[in-house]
Short mmCIF file of all heavy atoms in Angstrom, two decimals:
data_model
loop_
_atom_site.label_atom_id
_atom_site.label_comp_id
_atom_site.label_asym_id
_atom_site.label_seq_id
_atom_site.Cartn_x
_atom_site.Cartn_y
_atom_site.Cartn_z
N ASP A 353 89.03 122.39 139.00
CA ASP A 353 87.59 122.10 139.11
C ASP A 353 87.22 120.86 138.32
O ASP A 353 86.24 120.85 137.55
CB ASP A 353 86.75 123.30 138.66
CG ASP A 353 85.32 123.22 139.21
OD1 ASP A 353 85.04 122.32 140.03
OD2 ASP A 353 84.49 124.07 138.82
N HIS A 354 88.01 119.81 138.52
CA HIS A 354 87.65 118.51 137.95
C HIS A 354 86.32 118.09 138.55
O HIS A 354 86.12 118.18 139.75
CB HIS A 354 88.74 117.49 138.29
CG HIS A 354 88.65 116.20 137.53
ND1 HIS A 354 87.57 115.34 137.65
CD2 HIS A 354 89.49 115.62 136.64
CE1 HIS A 354 87.77 114.29 136.87
NE2 HIS A 354 88.92 114.44 136.25
N PRO A 355 85.37 117.63 137.73
CA PRO A 355 84.08 117.22 138.31
C PRO A 355 84.23 116.02 139.23
O PRO A 355 85.13 115.20 139.06
CB PRO A 355 83.24 116.87 137.08
CG PRO A 355 84.24 116.54 136.01
CD PRO A 355 85.42 117.43 136.28
N THR A 356 83.38 115.95 140.20
CA THR A 356 83.28 114.76 141.04
C THR A 356 81.98 114.04 140.68
O THR A 356 81.06 114.64 140.12
CB THR A 356 83.29 115.12 142.53
OG1 THR A 356 82.23 116.05 142.80
CG2 THR A 356 84.61 115.76 142.92
N TYR A 357 81.93 112.76 141.03
CA TYR A 357 80.84 111.92 140.55
C TYR A 357 80.14 111.25 141.73
O TYR A 357 80.60 110.22 142.23
CB TYR A 357 81.37 110.87 139.59
CG TYR A 357 82.31 111.43 138.55
CD1 TYR A 357 83.67 111.13 138.57
CD2 TYR A 357 81.84 112.28 137.56
CE1 TYR A 357 84.52 111.66 137.62
CE2 TYR A 357 82.69 112.81 136.60
CZ TYR A 357 84.03 112.49 136.63
OH TYR A 357 84.88 113.02 135.71
N TRP A 366 77.13 115.04 137.67
CA TRP A 366 78.50 115.47 137.89
C TRP A 366 78.46 116.80 138.62
O TRP A 366 77.63 117.66 138.34
CB TRP A 366 79.23 115.63 136.57
CG TRP A 366 79.28 114.37 135.76
CD1 TRP A 366 78.92 113.11 136.13
CD2 TRP A 366 79.69 114.27 134.39
NE1 TRP A 366 79.10 112.22 135.11
CE2 TRP A 366 79.57 112.90 134.02
CE3 TRP A 366 80.16 115.17 133.45
CZ2 TRP A 366 79.90 112.45 132.76
CZ3 TRP A 366 80.50 114.72 132.19
CH2 TRP A 366 80.37 113.37 131.85
N THR A 367 79.36 116.99 139.56
CA THR A 367 79.34 118.22 140.37
C THR A 367 80.61 119.03 140.16
O THR A 367 81.71 118.49 140.03
CB THR A 367 79.17 117.90 141.87
OG1 THR A 367 80.28 117.11 142.30
CG2 THR A 367 77.89 117.14 142.12
N TYR A 368 80.43 120.34 140.14
CA TYR A 368 81.52 121.30 139.96
C TYR A 368 81.49 122.32 141.09
O TYR A 368 80.43 122.64 141.62
CB TYR A 368 81.38 122.03 138.62
CG TYR A 368 81.46 121.14 137.41
CD1 TYR A 368 80.34 120.43 136.96
CD2 TYR A 368 82.64 121.00 136.70
CE1 TYR A 368 80.41 119.61 135.85
CE2 TYR A 368 82.72 120.18 135.58
CZ TYR A 368 81.61 119.49 135.16
OH TYR A 368 81.68 118.68 134.06
N PRO A 402 88.08 121.75 133.07
CA PRO A 402 87.06 121.02 132.31
C PRO A 402 85.84 121.85 131.98
O PRO A 402 85.45 122.76 132.71
CB PRO A 402 86.71 119.85 133.24
CG PRO A 402 87.94 119.65 134.04
CD PRO A 402 88.48 121.03 134.28
N GLY A 403 85.24 121.48 130.85
CA GLY A 403 84.04 122.14 130.40
C GLY A 403 82.99 122.18 131.50
O GLY A 403 82.88 121.27 132.31
N THR A 455 83.08 115.87 128.74
CA THR A 455 83.10 117.33 128.83
C THR A 455 84.52 117.85 128.96
O THR A 455 84.74 118.94 129.45
CB THR A 455 82.27 117.81 130.04
OG1 THR A 455 82.80 117.23 131.23
CG2 THR A 455 80.82 117.44 129.88
N PHE A 456 85.50 117.07 128.52
CA PHE A 456 86.89 117.49 128.53
C PHE A 456 87.42 117.78 127.12
O PHE A 456 88.53 118.26 126.97
CB PHE A 456 87.77 116.40 129.16
CG PHE A 456 87.56 116.17 130.62
CD1 PHE A 456 86.51 115.40 131.07
CD2 PHE A 456 88.41 116.75 131.55
CE1 PHE A 456 86.32 115.19 132.43
CE2 PHE A 456 88.22 116.54 132.91
CZ PHE A 456 87.17 115.76 133.36
#
Side-chain angles (χ1 to χ4, degrees):
D353 200 7
H354 192 297
T356 56
Y357 313 111
W366 301 350
T367 61
Y368 297 83
T455 58
F456 292 81

